[in-house]
Amino acid sequence: MAMSLPSNPTPQNVAALLPKLSDADSDFRFMSLNDLYTLLSNGQPGFLVADYNTAARAVDGVLKTLDDQNGEVQNLAIKCLGPLSLKIPSSILCPLLEKISKVTTEHSVDSSIPSTALRTVVTALPRPVSGMPISRATQDAYSAISKVLIPRLVGYNVVPPMEKNLPHPPPGMLTASEGKNVEGDAVDVVVETVRCFGPMLQDLEVRALQRAVMDLLESERTGSVVKKRAVVAISVLAVYFRDDHLGSFVSELIESLRNSHLTAAKRRLLITITGSLARSIPLRFGPYLQTLGPFIFSAVSQEELDDQISNIGEDEEQDHEIIEVREAALVAIESFLASCSSETRAFTNEIIESATRFLRYDPNFTDIQDDEEMSGTQNQDEEDEEDFDNEDIDQDEDFEEEGGFSDDDDISWKVRRCAAKVLYTLIATRASGELLEDGTLYEAVAPVLVQRFKEREENVRLEILAAMAALVQRTGHGAATSSTSAIDDSHSALMGPPHSRKRRRGGSDASMFDTQASVSLSAGLTSPLAPPIPTSGPQASLSELSPAIVRSVTKLLKGSAASTKQASLALLKDIVAVQHGGLSEYLHQIIEPVIDAIKTPSTSSGATTTVASAGATSATGATLRIAALNLAAIICETHASSVLHPHLGKLVPAITLAVQDKFYKVSSEALNAVEQLVKVFTPPRCHTTGAEQQQYLQILYDVIFDRVTANDADLEVRQRAIHALGILLGRTSGPEGAKLFSQEKRFAALDILYDRLRNEITRISAVRAVDTVASLATSKTEFSAAWTRNTSLELGAQLRKANRALRAASLGALKNLVTHPAGHANLDGRTTKELVEVLSPLLSANDLHLLGPTLVVLTSLVKGNAKKVVDASMISSLCSLVLAPLGGAVLDALLILVKTIGEEGVGKLLMQDLLKEVGVNGEPAVVGKMVGTLLVYGGKSVGVTTDDFVSELRTAKDDQRKCLALSVLGEAGLRLGKSSSLSPNLFIEHFRSKSDQVPLAAAVALGRAGAGNVETYLPVILETMNTAKSSQYLLLHSIKEILQQASDAETDIGPYSKQIWESVAVTAQLEDNKANYLDSNAASVRGMAIQAIRYTLSDTDESYDSVLRPILVEMLTTMLKDTDLENRRLALTTLNSAMHNKGDLLAAHVGQLLPLVMKETRVRPELVREVQMGPFKHKVDDGLELRKSAYETLYVLMEAAFTRMNVVELFDRVIAGLEDEHDVRVLCSVMLTKLILLDPEETTRRLDAISESFRSILSFKPKESAVKQELEKADEAKKGVLRVSVKLNSAFPNAAGSATSGQNQLWRNYWEWVRKDFGAQLKAIEEENVLRSD
C-alpha cells in the first residue's frame, strides 16, 4: 500500500484515503490512518475549508475508527483528531464535538476513548493567549466549546442558545445515573477545557462546571480516584472564579464545615479542597484563611484527639476515616505554609503544636500520653538508649505478634508523615526569619524531631531526617558544605585575587596575581580550628542539641535500610559543615558506622525510598558509599589531625579500598577523601613524621599513583587522582616533607604529571596539579632541571590553544613555576627564549585577565637574562600597551616589569621608543608612570635625566607634552622619595595654567611626588590650601593621591592626619568638624558624609573594624531614612559596599536593615512626572535610580545573608520588579536565576506569578514610531525572559509536565505558548547553553 505522500496535500489526497479506513484488514486501516495523519500535519491550515464534503467525510471516517477492534488503530485515530480539528471548516467543529461525546465503543472495552478524543481536540484547538488579541479561529473554537462541549459535560445549556426549539442536551458526562458512574476521564476533559479556554469562559459557565464537579464530589457513588481528579478540577476552575464567586464558594465551604452532622468523609473532602485552593490561587485565597483556618486546625487539635481516645475501647481499632481527616488537614496546612506564608503567621503556634503532636502519634505502638511529658531529648539519654536497644527499627514482625494485628491495618503512619512534611515546610518557609532567631524552632520543633528518629516506618523516618537536615542547613547561614565540590572549584580563584571579603585600599598591585594564597587555602595548609560557639542564637542551640542528634543518628546507622543510613550521613555532614567541625567528642561513636557504610557493596540495592521534600534520590549501595565518603572527607577537612589520628588505622584501609571500586562516582569520591587524608598526615597540620605517617602516606601514594596511571579508569577518576597527586606532592615539600616522602618517588610522580600534561584528555587537570606543586614548593631542590624545562615549555605551548580555561590555568601554573627559585634556577637560555616567544602574543590590552600574569612571568624571565629577553619585539609590545588606559593590578605588574628592565640596565631602547614612538599619543598617566619608573631605576643607562623633563615642562608649548612631563616628574618624585630634588612649587606654579588639562595633571603629579616625600610636600600643600582659596580643588586631588599611597609602609601621614582633616573640613564648608554630619540640615553635607563612609569601608585594619562594630548599623539606618532621594540612593550603595567589605559586622543585623531596602524597591507614583518635549509628553520617573540601587543592594544581601531574609517578601519584590522599567527587570531576572539555586521550592511555588510577568514582557509590542534604542531594549528584554524561562524549565521540568494537579497550570500554559511561538529562539538559547557548558 506504499505510496508517496505529497508535501502540499489537497482534499483529493485525503478523499483517496477515506475508503481504506473501512478495509477489513486492520493493517490497512492503520496505514491509511497513518498516511492521513501525515497529510493533515503537513497540509496548509485551511486546505479542507473549501471542500466541506471531504472534511465531513474525513470526520465521519476517523470517528468510525474510534470504535475499531484494534487498539493501535484506535490510538492513531485519536491522534488524527488533533490536526483534523484544525483543518476542517469551523461549521463542522460543533458536530465533531457532538459526535465524539456520543461515541459508543461496541467493539472495545476501553470506555475512556470518547473522553480521550475530546481532550485531544480541545488541546489542539487554538487557545487564547494572555496579552494578545483573540483571533477569529480562537473565537470559533470557544464558540464550539460553549455551544456543545460544556452542555454535554453538565447536561444542560448553560448559555441560552440563539436558536429556538433545539433538542435538550443528553445527560451530562459529569452526571451519574442508574447503572452509570462518572469516570475520571470526563473530569479530565473539564480540566483540559478550563486550562485551555479558561480566560474566555463566561461566569455562568464557570459556575456551572464548578457546581457539576462539586455534585460529583458530594455524591456517595463517586469513587475515590474520580474524587481526587475532581479536586484538581476545582483548583483549576478556581483560577477563573470572579471575586464574588470565590467568596460565595468559600462561604459554602465554611457552612459545610460548620454542619454538626458533617461526616468524616465529607469533612476530609472539604479540607482537601481548601488545600488545593491554597496551592492554586494563593494570593486570592490567603485572605480567607483567617476564617477557614480554625476549621482546619480543629481537625488536628488536642481536644479532638482526646475525645477520640476517650471514645475508643481497649480492643477497638482506630477509625481510618478519622485518621484520613487528620492526614488531609495536615496536607492542607502544608499547602497553607507553602503558598500563603504571610497569612499563616497568625497560626504559627497552632501549626507547631499540631505538627509535633501528630509526629508522635502512634497509637498502635505506644501511649501518646507518655510522649506528651517529654522534657527534652538530652534529659532522656537512658530512656532513649533503652528504646533503641529494645527496638529494631527495620523489623516489625514482633510488634505485629504482640499487638495482635497486622501493620497493614495501621495507617497512622500517614499522619506522622504529613506532620513531618508540615515541619519541613515550616522550616523551609519560616526559618529565614524570627522562628530561627528567637529559638522557637530549636525549642519546640528540633527536640521532637530528634526523639522521633526512632520512627519505625521508613518513609516517615526519612521525612523526619529531611526536616532536621533543613533546620541544620538554615542554621548555617549558607555555609559551604564540603570540599567535595568539583575539582575545578578549588582552582576557581586562580588567575585572580585571593578569595577574601577584605580588599586593599587604593587598588591593588601585582600581588593580586599571586595564586599561592588561594592554592594554599585549598591545600589545607593550616590545621582547622572550630570557631567559638556563640553564647546564644541558632548556632548555640544546634551545639547543645548535637550530642542527642549524634547518639540517635549513630543508632540509625546500625540499621539495615540504606535510605535511612544515607539520610543520616547527610544530616551529619550538614552538622559538620555548619559548625565547621564539632564532632571531635563523638568521633568514636560514628566512625565505625561510617566505615561500615563505606564498605557497603556498590551493587547492593537496599531500600529505594525517595523523599520528595528533601529532594533525595533512591538510596542504593553506591549512593550510600558516596554519602559516607563525603562525610569522611569533610570530617578530615574540618577536624584537627590530633583528633583524627586514633581512627586513621580504620579509615585509611576502607577509603583506599573504595578507590578501587568499579563505579566511577564511588572511586572519585573516595579519591576526594584520600586528598583530605593526605592533608591530615602532612605538615604543617601534622607535626610528627613517624613511621606510622610514612606507612599511611605510602598507602595513599600507591592508590593515587595507580589511578593516575590506569588507562581503563574513568576520566573523572583520573582527573581527581591527578589533583590528589598534586596536593600530595605540594604537601610533602621541604625538609619535613622529605622525611615522609622519598626524592625518588617525588621525581617519578612529577614525571607522571608531565606525561599527563601532554595528554589532551587529562591536560587541564595536570596543569592545575603542576600549579599546586609549584605554589606549595618550599625547597630549591624540588624539581629537576630537565623536568622544569620540559614542563615550562609544555605549559607555554598551551598558551596557543583556543581553550581559554586551559590557557588561563597554564599561564597561572607557568607563573608559579617560573617565579619559584627552584624553577627559575633550572631555566636555560633556550627555554627562556622559547617562553618569551609564546608569551609575546599575550602582551595585549585586549585580555587584561591574562596580561597581568604574563607581565609577572616576563619580569621573572628578565632577571638575569635581560639582554636575551628584552628585544625589539618585547619593547614594541610594551609600547603598544600604554596606548590603552591600564590600571589596578595590571598597571602595577607593568611598572614592576619596567622597573626590572631599568635595574638590569637594558632600558635605553624602551625609553627611546616610549618618548619617540609613543609620547603624547599614549595614555598620559600610563606613559608618565612607565617613563618615571624607568627614569629612576634605569639611572644613566636610559640616556635621559630628571632635569631633561623639568626643562621640557618649562619650555613646552603643547599642553599634552606638559601633562606628560608632569606625570613623569610626579612618578619620579614618588620613586625617588626623600632623595628627590624636585620642589613642590615646580608643580604648584602650573595650577595657574589656562589649559583645562595641565592644572589637574599638575595636582596629581604633586600628590604622587608628595607621597614619596611627605615631610617636604605635605606641609606646603596644607599651607597653600589655607592661603590660596582658588587652588583648593586641585590641592584636594593632591591630598587624595597622597592618601591613596598611605597604605605603603614608607608613607607615614600620621603626624599630619589632624591637619588634613581640619583642612578638608574647612574646604567642605563644615562649621564644626566634630558635629554629626549625618544629622546636618544640609542635604549636601549629609550626602558627603555618606560617600565618605562608603570610601572608608574598604579599610582592612582590624582596629577600624572595632571602631565600626558598635556604630555601623546605626549609621546605615540613619542614612537609609534620609529625607533626600539622592542621599538614600547613596546610602544604598554604602550598604552594598558594607556587605562586600564588612559583611561579618552586618550579618546579625540584616533583619533590621532589610525592611528599609525593601521599601525603596516600590514604585512611588508621586515621583513620576510628565515632561513636555516639543509636541510630545514624556514620563520621567525620579525614583528609578533609587529602585535600581535598592535592587542591586537586595541582590548583595541575598547572596551574603539569604537565610536571614524573609523569603516570601523577597520573592514578592523580585516578581514585582519583573514588571518595572527595563533596567530593574534585568536585575530581577538575574536575581531570579540565583533564587533557583537558593530556594528551589519557593521558586516552584511562584512559577505561576513569574509566568504572568514573563508573558506580559514577551507580548509587548513597541509602537510603530519607536526609535532604534526602544526596539533594542524590547528585544533584549524578550531574550532575557526566554533565557530565564529555559533555566526555570530545566530546573523544574515536572512543573511544565502533565496537568495532573492544579499547581503551576499557568506556568504550563505559558511554557506551551513559548515553545510554540518562540521555538526558534528557545532552540538557539539551549544550543548556546550547551556550548557554554562544554
Side-chain angles (χ1 to χ4, degrees), residues 508-519:
S508 55
D509 53 31
S511 65
M512 293 294 284
F513 298 104
D514 181 12
T515 60
Q516 292 188 5
S518 52
V519 174

Side-chain angles (χ1 to χ4, degrees), residues 814-1091:
L814 180 63
K815 179 186 69 63
N816 285 330
L817 184 60
V818 170
T819 56
H820 192 275
H824 187 269
N826 289 329
L827 296 178
D828 57 7
R830 182 185 66 85
T831 305
T832 301
K833 183 178 179 181
E834 292 186 20
L835 288 177
V836 173
E837 291 178 357
V838 298
L839 289 169
S840 295
L842 299 181
L843 290 176
S844 170
N846 295 330
D847 194 340
L848 299 180
H849 190 65
L850 299 180
L851 176 59
T854 301
L855 294 170
V856 175
V857 175
L858 288 175
T859 301
S860 180
L861 295 178
V862 167
K863 295 177 181 178
N865 300 283
K867 294 183 179 179
K868 297 180 180 179
V869 174
V870 183
D871 53 12
S873 175
M874 176 184 284
I875 291 175
S876 176
S877 299
L878 292 178
C879 290
S880 65
L881 289 178
V882 298
L883 299 176
L886 301 178
V890 174
L891 179 58
D892 292 337
L894 177 61
L895 295 179
I896 292 174
L897 174 59
V898 171
K899 173 185 174 182
T900 305
I901 292 174
E903 291 175 338
E904 294 290 328
V906 292
K908 185 174 182 179
L909 292 177
L910 177 60
M911 179 66 80
Q912 290 177 355
D913 279 17
L914 285 173
L915 296 178
K916 294 181 180 179
E917 302 297 331
V918 180
V920 296
N921 296 322
E923 187 69 22
V926 179
V927 177
K929 289 180 180 180
M930 283 187 65
V931 174
T933 302
L934 191 60
L935 181 67
V936 172
Y937 295 103
K940 298 179 179 179
S941 64
V942 296
V944 292
T945 63
T946 307
D947 294 337
D948 294 332
F949 288 97
V950 173
S951 176
E952 174 76 7
L953 175 62
R954 290 174 174 169
T955 59
K957 303 297 183 181
D958 186 1
D959 289 344
Q960 291 182 330
R961 294 185 180 277
K962 286 187 176 182
C963 290
L964 179 59
L966 286 167
S967 180
V968 171
L969 293 173
E971 191 67 24
L974 174 65
R975 303 287 178 176
L976 290 171
K978 295 181 180 181
S979 61
S980 172
S981 60
L982 300 174
S983 168
N985 292 325
L986 176 66
F987 304 99
I988 294 175
E989 64 187 20
H990 287 84
F991 284 7
R992 295 186 296 272
S993 174
K994 297 181 180 180
S995 168
D996 294 336
Q997 301 174 353
V998 173
L1000 185 58
V1004 173
L1006 174 63
R1008 293 192 69 81
N1013 191 356
V1014 173
E1015 295 178 358
T1016 302
Y1017 277 73
L1018 196 51
V1020 176
I1021 294 174
L1022 295 174
E1023 181 181 355
T1024 307
M1025 180 177 286
N1026 295 329
T1027 56
K1029 302 296 183 181
S1030 59
S1031 302
Q1032 286 180 343
Y1033 174 76
L1034 296 172
L1035 292 171
L1036 283 174
H1037 277 280
S1038 302
I1039 293 178
K1040 177 183 174 183
E1041 199 69 33
I1042 293 175
L1043 293 175
Q1044 286 177 336
Q1045 302 296 325
S1047 58
D1048 297 338
E1050 297 178 359
T1051 306
D1052 183 14
I1053 62 170
Y1056 306 96
S1057 58
K1058 183 178 180 180
Q1059 292 178 264
I1060 294 175
W1061 174 246
E1062 291 176 348
S1063 298
V1064 171
V1066 171
T1067 306
Q1069 298 180 353
L1070 301 179
E1071 297 178 358
D1072 183 2
N1073 60 13
K1074 296 181 180 180
N1076 185 351
Y1077 301 129
L1078 292 177
D1079 294 334
S1080 173
N1081 293 327
S1084 59
V1085 173
R1086 298 197 304 271
M1088 182 209 67
I1090 293 171
Q1091 294 184 76

Side-chain angles (χ1 to χ4, degrees), residues 395-411:
Q395 302 294 334
D396 294 326
E397 289 82 357
D398 295 339
F399 166 71
E400 293 178 10
E401 295 174 2
E402 295 173 6
F405 64 94
S406 171
D407 268 353
D408 294 337
D409 298 327
D410 179 23
I411 63 171

Side-chain angles (χ1 to χ4, degrees), residues 100 230 239 366 403 459 481 488 491 595 637 664 720 755 757 928 945 968 978 980 1026 1086 1129 1153:
I100 293 176
V239 176
T366 182
N459 53 2
T481 52
D488 295 351
H491 290 271
I595 291 174
E637 181 184 13
Y664 76 97
R720 182 76 78 173
D755 182 68
L757 186 61
T945 63
V968 171
K978 295 181 180 181
S980 172
N1026 295 329
R1086 298 197 304 271
R1129 187 190 69 80
L1153 299 169

Side-chain angles (χ1 to χ4, degrees), residues 524-540:
L525 285 182
T526 57
S527 187
L529 296 175
I533 300 174
T535 56
S536 61
Q539 290 277 8

